[in-house]
Amino acid sequence: MGMELGAFDGNYVIDPAATWRELLAGPDRAHFAEDLGLWLIWRHEDVRRALADGERFKNALTLTPLFELCPAAMDVAMRIDAPATTAAADAPVHTRTRKALRATFATTAKGVAEQYLEVIDRRVDELVGRLADRAGAEVDLVPAFTSELPLLVLVDLLGVPERDIPLIRNWADGQIALVWGRPSPADQERLAGGLLDFWRYCRSLVTRRLDEPAAGRPDDFLGRVLRYRGGADAVLSIDEVASFAFNLLVAGHETTAGLLAHGIDHALSRPELWGRIARDPGHVPALVEETLRFTPPIDGWLRVTSAPVELGPVTIPAGARCLLLLGAANRDPAVFGQPDLLDTDRPDAREHLSFGHGAHFCVGAALARLEAERALTALARAFPDLRLAAGHTRSFHPNAGFRAHRDLRVAIQAIA
């Protein structure tokens, strides 16, 4: 059955949940979105199964742009020879690279706290201090806090020069726009050029690190990966190490930035909720988890079928690109009671699929949770009377997968 999702139209950009409710209320389990050329899957059970089924739902085209690039942009994009290692990799490559990631990057709550808490708190305190210096002013928290914090943490963890943050931010934003957006031909060529520069930057970064004495390499992520590699391409090639940086600098930045902005927005839109976490930070983890369910920073994710897939009376053909509507799955009433209610006391919040499921479950999930919890705790403690700026209107970047605030304007009051 066919339909149009309208992912770049005003109604979906403002309130995608209205479309999700219509899909979930109907009897069907899949539709072909004619405006995107993709099959849509939205029920929690079906999305969860697709995420876990690496045989029928492949990852190879996950980072391929939704729309065909113009010839000039395609010429540039074809020069980006980054190997698939994470989101766009399938077994057996993904099995090998995932093993390397788990050996060099903390992925559990305990491991993340032990290895990264000091870095996170230092960067959170730095940004909160900058906000305190602007007491009495209106501030856009997207550039001043929610987008800045994940990048600062990542450059510390990966061993990337902090001076390069503006470049990395532009490149990362450009990749999201190129892959998941609907840019004009002129913008496609510009964004593809930026992505090529980004890939060359990551490869140069790793090449320079190879010149360091192995025993003297810093104990950051790149240093650990190069030690893990041990000079053996069969373990990891140099381009695969660079691909780790290429992917983590985007995924670890954009997703956590979105989570932070959504969480702050929800709490400030409900003053009693902001007051609650300001008085008792023990409520913050529940807010973070319910934010992940209610407004995931990634509300759609791509897979491609390797064989025909039957979902009810509908058969999705082999070789079809599918958009898994994570946001809709997180509102499925078959799993969540009162799914359209933001409820930080709900017992089923962790059934969300915002970090994926199965072999490709987000490697940075524990880091994102900890960053969001520490940031929200510090922000509410420092600014218990923080409020949205008068006249602030919520708006988001048009995008089929990443849901990101254009801005988040707040009134900063005196620090407590």
Side-chain angles (χ1 to χ4, degrees), residues 15-62:
D15 182 22
T19 299
W20 300 338
R21 280 192 294 273
E22 291 181 15
L23 292 171
L24 289 162
D28 299 312
R29 295 167 61 187
H31 282 305
F32 184 73
E34 296 172 352
D35 54 334
L36 297 176
L38 304 171
W39 285 87
L40 306 178
I41 301 174
W42 59 85
R43 298 192 186 279
H44 188 280
E45 178 183 5
D46 295 332
V47 171
R48 188 175 187 272
R49 184 178 294 120
L51 289 168
D53 187 351
E55 291 300 317
R56 293 190 305 165
F57 290 90
K58 297 291 188 179
N59 300 271
L61 300 181
T62 294

Side-chain angles (χ1 to χ4, degrees), residues 85-102:
T85 53
T86 53
D90 289 302
V93 170
H94 180 258
T95 305
R96 174 174 55 81
T97 55
R98 180 79 174 201
K99 180 182 178 182
L101 275 174
R102 293 184 69 88

Side-chain angles (χ1 to χ4, degrees), residues 143-166:
F145 194 81
T146 64
S147 181
E148 186 76 355
L149 175 64
L151 274 175
L152 288 170
V153 171
L154 278 173
V155 298
D156 287 344
L157 300 190
L158 269 65
V160 176
E162 184 174 339
R163 64 177 180 274
D164 294 337
I165 280 181

Side-chain angles (χ1 to χ4, degrees), residues 392-403:
H392 173 73
T393 301
R394 190 177 293 109
S395 64
F396 302 91
H397 293 282
N399 196 276
F402 285 70
R403 187 159 176 79

Side-chain angles (χ1 to χ4, degrees), residues 302-324:
L302 290 170
R303 288 288 189 268
V304 60
T305 56
S306 61
V309 176
E310 293 185 6
L311 291 177
V314 174
T315 298
I316 300 176
R321 296 187 82 186
C322 301
L323 183 63
L324 309 180

Side-chain angles (χ1 to χ4, degrees), residues 40-354:
L40 306 178
I41 301 174
W42 59 85
R43 298 192 186 279
H44 188 280
E45 178 183 5
D46 295 332
V47 171
R48 188 175 187 272
R49 184 178 294 120
L51 289 168
D53 187 351
E55 291 300 317
R56 293 190 305 165
F57 290 90
K58 297 291 188 179
N59 300 271
L61 300 181
T62 294
L63 299 181
T64 300
L66 292 177
F67 299 102
E68 184 175 354
L69 299 179
C70 68
M74 181 62 74
D75 286 345
V76 177
M78 292 299 292
R79 292 151 60 191
I80 304 171
D81 55 354
T85 53
T86 53
D90 289 302
V93 170
H94 180 258
T95 305
R96 174 174 55 81
T97 55
R98 180 79 174 201
K99 180 182 178 182
L101 275 174
R102 293 184 69 88
T104 55
F105 191 86
T107 59
T108 66
K110 182 174 183 290
V112 165
E114 290 175 348
Q115 294 189 39
Y116 307 147
L117 181 59
E118 185 276 330
V119 170
I120 293 171
D121 281 349
R122 175 167 51 81
R123 290 303 196 176
V124 167
D125 290 346
E126 176 185 337
L127 292 184
V128 169
R130 292 184 196 173
L131 293 176
D133 291 339
R134 301 174 70 178
E138 288 191 0
V139 177
D140 182 358
L141 287 184
V142 170
F145 194 81
T146 64
S147 181
E148 186 76 355
L149 175 64
L151 274 175
L152 288 170
V153 171
L154 278 173
V155 298
D156 287 344
L157 300 190
L158 269 65
V160 176
E162 184 174 339
R163 64 177 180 274
D164 294 337
I165 280 181
L167 284 172
I168 294 168
R169 179 187 293 109
N170 288 335
W171 287 330
D173 291 346
Q175 181 179 359
I176 300 303
L178 183 67
V179 174
W180 298 91
R182 192 173 57 182
S184 67
D187 283 339
Q188 290 175 20
E189 187 174 2
R190 175 181 59 81
L191 294 170
L195 200 56
L196 177 59
D197 289 341
F198 189 18
W199 167 238
R200 288 172 171 169
Y201 169 87
C202 291
R203 191 155 51 182
S204 174
L205 189 71
V206 173
T207 301
R208 291 198 304 271
R209 295 297 295 271
L210 285 172
D211 294 334
E212 301 170 344
R217 284 181 190 142
D219 188 29
D220 52 36
F221 173 72
L222 288 180
R224 287 195 296 274
V225 171
L226 290 173
R227 284 194 294 273
Y228 175 90
R229 176 178 177 268
D233 284 345
V235 177
L236 283 175
S237 70
I238 294 302
D239 276 358
E240 285 176 331
V241 175
S243 181
F244 280 166
F246 190 51
N247 286 281
L248 289 173
L249 284 169
V250 176
H253 159 221
E254 299 285 350
T255 54
T256 306
L259 170 58
L260 273 172
H262 291 318
I264 294 169
D265 186 12
H266 289 319
L268 292 181
S269 298
R270 301 160 179 81
E272 76 285 352
L273 182 52
W274 187 258
R276 186 182 187 189
I277 65 173
R279 291 189 302 271
D280 183 359
H283 294 295
V284 169
L287 170 61
V288 169
E289 212 60 39
E290 178 65 345
T291 296
L292 284 163
R293 183 198 71 85
F294 195 72
T295 47
I298 299 177
D299 56 27
W301 200 242
L302 290 170
R303 288 288 189 268
V304 60
T305 56
S306 61
V309 176
E310 293 185 6
L311 291 177
V314 174
T315 298
I316 300 176
R321 296 187 82 186
C322 301
L323 183 63
L324 309 180
L325 295 176
L326 307 180
N330 289 352
R331 304 282 189 103
D332 192 336
V335 177
F336 304 98
Q338 294 185 286
D340 293 313
L341 174 67
L342 181 84
D343 179 7
T344 58
D345 293 320
R346 72 168 55 249
D348 51 14
R350 276 201 175 236
E351 294 301 314
H352 69 74
L353 297 174
S354 301

